[in-house]
Amino acid sequence: MASGRSSDFAGDMTIDKLFTMRICSLLPSATETLFELGAGDSVAGITFECDFPPEAKAKRVVVRTRLEHSEDPVEIDRQVKNFVARGESLYEIDHEAVQAIEPDLIITQDLCHVCAASPGDLGSALATLARKPEVLSLNPRSLGDVWKDILSIGRAIGRTSQARVLVAELEGRISAVAKAVSDSPNRPRVACLEWLDPPFIAGHWVPEMVACAGGVDVFGKAAQPSFRQAWEAVLRENPEVIVILPCGYGLEEAVRQFDVMTLPEGWESLQAVRDNRIFAVDASGYFSRPGPRLARGVEILAGILHPESMPVPHESSGSKVARITRQPGK
């Protein structure tokens, strides 16, 4: 039986159709959502980044990156800029794999051509298919959009009821966080850095997550893209809390990138540094991907910003966050 919530409902589609449907998910967040809705058995193709839930990694990879492997953020940024300047995609689709799967549904996105394969990448692959699948393209910019996309996926796979229950659960968790921190007179000023070298400010749903967790994002603009920011501006705004969430990376890599970065002059004068309130988080799991685990991301942020209302989570608890510190010159 498919994993997830299917056992709680009779379902919106027949069992025969449920088991014969083949889905190619070109988004890690969509893969997570499909499994959460109990459609994991129908997922036939994934991307190289689809690593959650763990059983997703057993599926056939149909999308790979064209970037050369590097652990250097500057080198990765250089490669991305070169691809963008040439008007080329960062991703390649395995046409033979897609042909072999013969998908009924392909889920892609049109939000960020750097983050995942887009409809434009699909053109040549679709042209080779004898039977054209349904293509669902997602474009979330806010938490509300993410919940709407979950509902769209639910409708596309005949699991509208399960999707509605999931969205209600996620909204309830975030409402509970907002209530828990509502009595605090303090709303810390926060800088969320989704890249360190060069520094980028996290956008889209992240500023909204900060607000839900009882903070004020000093740079990010809700529902707007991330953007590059000079260290001088970060120092000038003097945030009380800095959250390091490098796009697409987990906690260990976030800590590593912070450990090797060149600290800007004046770093030690930052309020966040003086108060030891710099945190690295599992961005890939709880912040970068517009899927169900964003609710956990809000809970993590609330623990960081308001430990008096919600205990500060630790890596060992599965929350994927760590307090980090470094002195200039180290």
Side-chain angles (χ1 to χ4, degrees):
M1 193 63 166
S3 60
R5 300 168 184 270
S6 58
S7 60
D8 298 331
F9 296 85
D12 302 299
M13 68 164 53
T14 66
I15 292 178
D16 286 343
K17 185 175 181 182
L18 170 64
F19 278 100
T20 59
M21 190 175 198
R22 296 180 298 277
I23 305 170
C24 281
S25 172
L26 309 190
L27 295 170
S29 58
T31 300
E32 293 184 21
T33 299
L34 288 164
F35 273 85
E36 188 69 21
L37 294 178
D41 290 343
S42 295
V43 176
I46 60 169
T47 81
F48 69 103
E49 292 181 306
C50 293
D51 55 9
F52 188 89
E55 52 265 38
K57 294 185 285 187
K59 304 294 183 175
R60 186 168 185 176
V61 174
V62 299
V63 177
R64 293 180 173 82
T65 182
R66 297 178 64 195
L67 295 176
E68 296 179 4
H69 176 74
S70 176
E71 294 184 350
D72 182 359
V74 176
E75 171 59 21
I76 295 173
D77 183 65
R78 184 193 68 79
Q79 290 186 47
V80 170
K81 286 180 178 177
N82 286 343
F83 273 100
V84 173
R86 296 194 300 264
E88 298 178 11
S89 173
L90 278 65
Y91 301 92
E92 59 182 9
I93 295 178
D94 186 334
H95 294 189
E96 292 184 2
V98 175
Q99 288 176 6
I101 291 171
E102 295 187 71
D104 303 292
L105 172 67
I106 297 177
I107 304 179
T108 183
Q109 60 90 41
D110 201 23
L111 175 69
C112 176
H113 293 191
V114 171
C115 298
S118 67
D121 298 316
L122 272 178
S124 57
L126 291 175
T128 66
L129 298 176
R131 180 175 57 83
K132 296 301 183 286
E134 177 185 355
V135 176
L136 176 60
S137 182
L138 309 178
N139 188 29
R141 297 179 182 275
S142 66
L143 289 176
D145 289 344
V146 175
W147 310 152
K148 289 177 183 177
D149 284 347
I150 291 175
L151 295 174
S152 294
I153 292 173
R155 285 192 295 270
I157 64 174
R159 299 199 171 189
T160 302
S161 299
Q162 291 92 327
R164 286 174 179 165
V165 169
L166 175 57
V167 168
E169 174 189 316
L170 298 173
E171 290 179 329
R173 288 170 61 183
I174 291 178
S175 294
V177 169
K179 182 178 180 180
V181 302
S182 62
D183 291 336
S184 176
N186 180 36
R187 293 183 65 83
R189 300 173 66 257
V190 186
C192 293
L193 304 178
E194 76 163 31
W195 206 251
L196 294 178
D197 198 356
F200 270 77
I201 302 300
H204 294 125
W205 46 85
V206 172
E208 186 180 358
M209 294 172 70
V210 172
C212 291
V216 176
D217 194 318
V218 296
F219 291 112
K221 297 175 176 59
Q224 297 298 314
S226 61
F227 58 93
R228 185 169 179 173
Q229 184 64 277
W231 279 119
E232 290 78 8
V234 176
L235 294 168
R236 188 165 55 248
E237 286 294 335
N238 194 25
E240 298 169 86
V241 179
I242 295 176
V243 181
I244 295 172
L245 56 166
C247 185
Y249 290 98
L251 176 62
E252 182 178 342
E253 179 61 20
V255 173
R256 191 198 70 81
Q257 289 190 18
F258 176 74
D259 285 343
V260 301
M261 69 172 282
T262 300
L263 296 176
E265 185 177 353
W267 174 261
E268 67 279 5
S269 68
L270 285 169
Q271 187 69 45
V273 175
R274 296 200 303 270
D275 292 344
N276 193 25
R277 299 190 75 185
I278 303 175
F279 297 85
V281 297
D282 180 352
S284 179
Y286 305 105
F287 295 91
S288 302
R289 298 176 179 177
R293 288 192 290 169
L294 289 183
R296 183 58 170 148
V298 173
E299 293 164 351
I300 290 171
L301 282 175
I304 289 172
L305 302 180
H306 294 283
E308 75 285 353
S309 300
M310 300 186 69
V312 177
H314 298 285
E315 180 185 3
S316 60
S317 70
S319 298
K320 298 299 184 183
V321 59
R323 192 188 301 263
I324 53 179
T325 184
R326 260 182 68 203
Q327 298 300 319
K330 295 184 179 181

